[in-house]
Amino acid sequence: MTDIKCLSTQDADFQARLSALLAWDSVSDDRVQGTVAEIIKEVRARGDAALMDYTARFDRWAPASAADLELPRSRLARAWAAIPADQRQALETAAERIRAYAEHQKMSGWSYREDDGTLLGQQVTPLDRVGLYVPGGKAAYPSSVLMNAIPAKVAGVSELIMAVPTPDGELNELVLAAAHIAGVDRAFAIGGAQAVAALAYGTETIPGVDKIVGPGNIYVATAKRAVFGQVGIDMVAGPSEILVVCDGGTDPDWIAMDLFSQAEHDEDAQSILVSWDAEFLDRVAASIDRLLPTMERREIIDAALKARGALVLARDLDDAIAVANEIAPEHLELSVEDPESIVGRIRHAGAIFMGRYTAEALGDYCAGPNHVLPTSRTARFSSPLGVYDFQKRSSLILCSSAGSAVLSRTASVLARGEGFTAHARSAEYRGEDAS
Amino acid sequence: MTDIKCLSTQDADFQARLSALLAWDSVSDDRVQGTVAEIIKEVRARGDAALMDYTARFDRWAPASAADLELPRSRLARAWAAIPADQRQALETAAERIRAYAEHQKMSGWSYREDDGTLLGQQVTPLDRVGLYVPGGKAAYPSSVLMNAIPAKVAGVSELIMAVPTPDGELNELVLAAAHIAGVDRAFAIGGAQAVAALAYGTETIPGVDKIVGPGNIYVATAKRAVFGQVGIDMVAGPSEILVVCDGGTDPDWIAMDLFSQAEHDEDAQSILVSWDAEFLDRVAASIDRLLPTMERREIIDAALKARGALVLARDLDDAIAVANEIAPEHLELSVEDPESIVGRIRHAGAIFMGRYTAEALGDYCAGPNHVLPTSRTARFSSPLGVYDFQKRSSLILCSSAGSAVLSRTASVLARGEGFTAHARSAEYRGEDAS
């Protein structure tokens, strides 16, 4: 029997206990910071030579030359051909659905013309070159390759470069197959902070990119933070989380399994259920107790539920929604009768899974929306990874002579108010000419 | 006579000289990092008390109580009423135009339904609460208040909190007036890393926010980087830059003044002109020499042009466009006869000013598009500040029972391929029920 915490929003110390439960600090310590800073410095200074040294040291694998760091596209194609047919079919279906959803996200430019002929607008362009970091070893997930790569290609990124470490020279065939179907352009068998540094600054062999995305361990995350500015980065993710809001009408075994599916990621993962049906909470607790011993990853699930899980009794639906907005969860299941009537009241969530049939796991793999989502309450200010993360905007301004004459008067007053007389005179030149 | 550098794209060392010219490293040193870390720790631990201490120490101003840190809305309104009428009119015109442009950027949600009834989509919501940092003293710009505040209000941010330091207790009336017209909800006379910490974590008096935007000195920038994750932040800006591409048909005095308008910001600002008309470059150089002595901020302009300015001779239009895409400038002027025919070939730029009449200075104040733009080549991967920076997306997934039956098969194969059996079983439960 697991010791998942039971809370009630009516408890006097509910806010404090909830805050304690949600608390997460991802700060890397000084030792990690120092190691990463050293690695970046070395890769910037010595390029391929440093990359080869670190690969030999951390991945225990010595390429004969820097050119051997590259995994040719034919190698990815071979992996694709060699995996079992059902996995190939599943990757293909998932890729198609992720691509179809991503197409809806693609931004377009726009412009409008004012009465005096002045044109204002926004031009949208893809990033030129993107680096995709993929963890090696046991944490290598083909689904993650699809989710990071496909939106970039839909955006129109012309070169997508994958970095995947091969600890002890070992490759993950499913990851290579996913890279093949997702349209990865070039792949390199490099990892860790050295891969991030190589992608950010370029080496003789590794092309420098404009943005780096993808999950990684604390060294990778610290390196991404350090090179931010030189290149763009995606969010640095915390542990994965789910919040299930249930009206009590869903099979408690299903809900227990949804909580498990989050908890099985790792011991820090967070699974919380909120309901206003106290008896239902008891039934889910019973399902947890009955099903947990049958789970392959029961030790991890048990540890995660004990440390960071909770069953929360709310007063009513409104109260449950307030808890959801406070938590701003990465994954939110609205396992209720009429989810569409309440979804508009959810102010913060990475992805919202509506109705009893929408298991969060479907979204992890193949529903279509991205599984790279804001964690640790960052859904308050950030969004799922999407095509828009691989596009950028340029403002467009084309003043007619009449338009510039009008605008120059306003600009001149404000510029002089700020003490910027070159700004003022630059504007005034155009105004004088037009009038 | 200024010593602006003259380069040609045909020079053997052109790439190296251009790279040296563009190089900018904004890394804050260990001392700044340490000071900022200490300030954040203190504000988190002691709240208002720490904020009052730092305000007394850094701004040489001792509020009687923490409540006195607040600048009431009536104070902003009083500033608005007291400034000269032409400035009030100019701020009003600028605010209206910025708002009109911003309305075009507002994102909306969308959804689509598949044949089996499954719904996919994206819900868009505003951030709840945003902090706007405004520098105090001589670097206080009312235009910057408008540019940061108005997109947030257009996005629907319900509470916009301004922090503006008052060194020696001195207030900038134009800044307060701009805050009034821009719709700032609450304002506090706090600044530096302590203001960033207070906005990020909240104190007894200062409400914690979800995102912090706005420019600041190296302490503010370092603090923003440090609290990133706890809250969202905008880009940390480098020195301002302009690249002018001119076909030789614009008055060289106008172009010289455009270069000055960038250079007058500070000694690190960057002004570069590219043309394929060698004689025109000479004429602009002559205009620079003639006009520079007449400029109020000539020392700053001269220093900036010497250190980081350049006149670049390109082979032709194509070559000039290649230079522009390499530089990825914050501001790009296409001062050419038919800018609309070439703008589609610009791959990276924060804002593009098209035609001879579109002085960049018009965009700084009142054309409509935002003047907060990606600097230091970050236009390769980022965008102007906009309404979209104050909105976020949540993915929507609602599977029909038929839809979940189909998806669960794919999810199950992929989840088992990754060793996640709770994911697989969670998906399979739904599939079994539906079939």
Side-chain angles (χ1 to χ4, degrees):
Chain A
M1 195 166 141
T2 189
D3 298 320
I4 192 165
K5 290 177 190 67
C6 296
L7 313 181
S8 162
T9 61
Q10 305 295 89
D11 294 342
D13 61 352
F14 174 70
Q15 277 303 331
R17 292 186 68 189
L18 183 63
S19 294
L21 205 60
L22 300 178
W24 183 258
D25 230 336
S26 66
V27 175
S28 48
D29 62 25
D30 289 347
R31 193 185 52 78
V32 173
Q33 298 266 15
T35 305
V36 167
E38 172 71 18
I39 291 172
I40 293 173
K41 204 183 79 183
E42 284 292 306
V43 172
R44 283 186 74 170
R46 301 199 296 121
D48 281 348
L51 202 49
M52 307 255 292
D53 286 353
Y54 287 121
T55 299
R57 187 157 127 208
F58 296 128
D59 294 341
R60 299 161 303 281
W61 170 74
S65 77
D68 290 340
L69 290 170
E70 184 154 9
L71 299 163
R73 279 168 75 155
S74 58
R75 179 67 187 83
L76 309 185
R78 209 164 73 225
W80 175 252
I83 60 170
D86 67 330
Q87 291 192 332
R88 202 160 48 233
Q89 176 59 50
L91 283 174
E92 205 150 39
T93 301
E96 267 164 33
R97 294 189 57 88
I98 295 165
R99 193 171 291 121
Y101 182 85
E103 291 286 355
H104 284 85
Q105 294 182 320
K106 204 169 168 176
M107 302 190 295
S108 303
W110 49 265
S111 66
Y112 60 100
R113 220 171 259 279
E114 300 186 310
D115 291 342
D116 60 20
T118 291
L119 175 140
L120 299 173
Q122 203 158 68
Q123 177 162 292
V124 174
T125 45
L127 274 67
D128 280 351
R129 215 187 256 152
V130 166
L132 164 55
Y133 189 89
V134 179
K138 60 175 180 148
Y141 303 128
S143 60
S144 172
V145 174
L146 301 186
M147 293 288 182
N148 280 276
I150 291 172
K153 294 308 286 185
V154 169
V157 168
S158 45
E159 221 179 335
L160 180 60
I161 318 274
M162 180 170 84
V164 56
T166 55
D168 302 305
E170 199 167 319
L171 292 162
N172 180 316
E173 298 299 318
L174 271 176
V175 161
L176 300 187
H180 172 79
I181 188 84
V184 165
D185 295 290
R186 298 183 70 183
F188 294 92
I190 55 175
Q194 62 274 19
V196 174
L199 290 169
Y201 292 98
T203 69
E204 303 90 316
T205 301
I206 314 295
V209 300
D210 300 304
K211 184 166 188 167
I212 302 174
V213 299
N217 65 19
I218 188 72
Y219 290 93
V220 171
T222 304
K224 277 168 68 181
R225 253 182 194 268
V227 299
F228 175 58
Q230 169 67 22
V231 297
I233 61 167
D234 58 354
M235 291 288 298
V236 174
S240 197
E241 341 135 13
I242 193 171
L243 176 69
V244 181
V245 172
C246 188
D247 57 11
T250 308
D251 187 324
D253 282 2
W254 295 14
I255 299 297
M257 197 58 72
D258 295 349
L259 298 175
F260 288 175
S261 76
Q262 208 58 38
E264 76 173 337
H265 275 286
D266 56 63
E267 290 80 353
D268 295 321
Q270 183 151 61
S271 300
I272 301 179
L273 166 64
V274 181
S275 179
W276 47 100
D277 180 337
E279 200 200 325
F280 179 71
L281 293 177
D282 292 341
R283 292 168 63 205
V284 172
S287 292
I288 290 174
D289 291 341
R290 195 182 72 256
L291 293 169
L292 184 56
T294 73
M295 302 308 300
E296 283 83 349
R297 294 167 71 87
R298 58 187 163 270
E299 284 80 13
I300 295 171
I301 295 170
D302 189 36
L305 291 182
K306 268 185 183 133
R308 305 195 73 222
L311 305 179
V312 179
L313 179 64
R315 229 172 26 241
D316 51 25
L317 171 68
D318 290 351
D319 196 27
I321 291 176
V323 170
N325 282 326
E326 168 73 19
I327 293 178
E330 181 190 14
H331 304 101
L332 174 63
E333 270 187 23
L334 297 179
S335 202
V336 299
E337 191 55 36
D338 183 13
E340 289 181 85
S341 71
I342 62 167
V343 69
R345 294 165 63 194
I346 301 301
R347 295 207 314 284
H348 319 291
I352 307 173
F353 302 82
M354 300 189 283
R356 311 197 195 286
Y357 284 96
T358 314
E360 186 271 323
L362 301 179
D364 284 341
Y365 292 106
C366 57
N370 212 290
H371 79 192
V372 180
L373 296 167
T375 59
S376 306
R377 300 192 70 228
T378 58
R380 292 175 296 123
F381 55 83
S382 53
S383 300
L385 187 73
V387 175
Y388 37 78
D389 289 304
F390 302 101
Q391 297 182 296
K392 62 236 168 23
R393 307 159 176 100
S394 301
S395 305
L396 297 180
I397 312 174
L398 193 167
C399 290
S400 65
S401 71
S404 80
V406 174
L407 291 181
S408 70
R409 288 195 289 274
T410 296
S412 169
V413 171
L414 293 175
R416 290 183 185 278
E418 294 182 355
F420 284 142
T421 47
H423 284 69
R425 288 172 65 179
S426 163
E428 289 157 10
Y429 272 147
R430 272 74 172 190
E432 288 158 16
D433 185 77
S435 57
Chain B
M1 194 165 142
T2 189
D3 297 321
I4 191 165
K5 289 177 191 67
C6 296
L7 314 181
S8 162
T9 59
Q10 304 296 89
D11 295 342
D13 62 350
F14 174 72
Q15 278 302 332
R17 292 186 67 188
L18 183 64
S19 294
L21 204 62
L22 300 178
W24 183 258
D25 230 337
S26 66
V27 175
S28 48
D29 63 24
D30 289 348
R31 194 186 52 78
V32 173
Q33 298 266 16
T35 305
V36 166
E38 173 71 21
I39 291 172
I40 293 172
K41 204 183 77 183
E42 283 292 305
V43 172
R44 283 186 74 170
R46 300 198 298 122
D48 281 348
L51 202 49
M52 306 258 290
D53 286 352
Y54 287 120
T55 299
R57 189 158 126 207
F58 296 127
D59 294 341
R60 300 161 303 281
W61 171 74
S65 76
D68 289 341
L69 290 171
E70 184 154 11
L71 298 163
R73 280 169 76 153
S74 58
R75 179 67 187 82
L76 309 186
R78 208 164 74 225
W80 176 252
I83 61 170
D86 66 331
Q87 292 192 333
R88 202 159 49 232
Q89 176 61 49
L91 283 174
E92 205 151 39
T93 300
E96 268 164 31
R97 294 189 58 89
I98 296 165
R99 194 171 291 122
Y101 182 86
E103 291 286 353
H104 285 84
Q105 295 182 321
K106 204 167 166 177
M107 303 190 295
S108 303
W110 48 266
S111 65
Y112 59 101
R113 220 173 260 278
E114 300 185 311
D115 291 342
D116 61 20
T118 290
L119 175 140
L120 299 173
Q122 204 158 67
Q123 176 162 292
V124 174
T125 45
L127 274 66
D128 279 351
R129 213 186 257 154
V130 166
L132 165 55
Y133 189 88
V134 179
K138 60 175 178 148
Y141 303 128
S143 59
S144 172
V145 175
L146 300 186
M147 293 287 182
N148 281 276
I150 290 172
K153 294 309 286 187
V154 169
V157 168
S158 46
E159 219 179 337
L160 179 60
I161 318 274
M162 180 170 82
V164 57
T166 55
D168 302 307
E170 200 168 316
L171 292 163
N172 180 317
E173 297 299 319
L174 272 176
V175 161
L176 301 187
H180 171 80
I181 189 84
V184 165
D185 294 290
R186 299 182 70 182
F188 294 92
I190 55 175
Q194 63 274 19
V196 174
L199 289 169
Y201 293 98
T203 69
E204 303 90 316
T205 300
I206 314 294
V209 301
D210 300 304
K211 183 167 189 166
I212 301 175
V213 299
N217 63 19
I218 187 71
Y219 292 92
V220 171
T222 305
K224 278 167 68 181
R225 253 181 195 270
V227 300
F228 175 58
Q230 168 67 22
V231 297
I233 61 168
D234 59 354
M235 291 289 296
V236 172
S240 197
E241 342 133 13
I242 192 170
L243 175 68
V244 181
V245 172
C246 186
D247 58 11
T250 308
D251 187 323
D253 283 2
W254 294 14
I255 300 297
M257 198 58 72
D258 295 350
L259 298 175
F260 289 176
S261 75
Q262 208 57 38
E264 76 173 336
H265 276 284
D266 55 64
E267 290 81 353
D268 295 320
Q270 183 151 60
S271 299
I272 301 179
L273 166 63
V274 180
S275 181
W276 49 99
D277 181 337
E279 201 200 323
F280 179 71
L281 292 178
D282 291 341
R283 292 168 64 204
V284 172
S287 291
I288 289 174
D289 290 342
R290 196 181 74 254
L291 292 169
L292 184 54
T294 73
M295 302 309 299
E296 283 83 350
R297 294 168 72 88
R298 55 188 165 270
E299 284 81 14
I300 295 170
I301 295 171
D302 190 37
L305 291 183
K306 271 188 182 127
R308 305 197 72 222
L311 306 179
V312 179
L313 179 65
R315 228 171 28 242
D316 50 25
L317 170 67
D318 290 350
D319 196 28
I321 290 176
V323 171
N325 282 327
E326 167 72 20
I327 292 178
E330 180 190 13
H331 304 101
L332 174 64
E333 271 187 23
L334 296 179
S335 202
V336 298
E337 191 55 36
D338 183 14
E340 289 180 84
S341 70
I342 61 168
V343 70
R345 294 164 62 194
I346 301 300
R347 295 206 316 282
H348 318 292
I352 306 173
F353 302 81
M354 299 190 281
R356 313 199 194 285
Y357 284 96
T358 313
E360 186 271 323
L362 301 179
D364 284 341
Y365 292 105
C366 58
N370 212 291
H371 79 192
V372 180
L373 296 166
T375 60
S376 306
R377 302 191 69 231
T378 59
R380 293 175 296 123
F381 55 83
S382 54
S383 300
L385 188 73
V387 175
Y388 36 77
D389 289 304
F390 303 103
Q391 297 182 295
K392 61 235 166 28
R393 308 160 176 97
S394 301
S395 305
L396 299 179
I397 311 173
L398 194 166
C399 291
S400 65
S401 70
S404 79
V406 174
L407 292 180
S408 69
R409 287 196 289 273
T410 297
S412 169
V413 171
L414 293 175
R416 290 183 184 276
E418 294 182 354
F420 284 143
T421 47
H423 283 69
R425 289 173 63 178
S426 163
E428 289 156 9
Y429 271 147
R430 272 73 173 191
E432 290 158 13
D433 184 77
S435 56

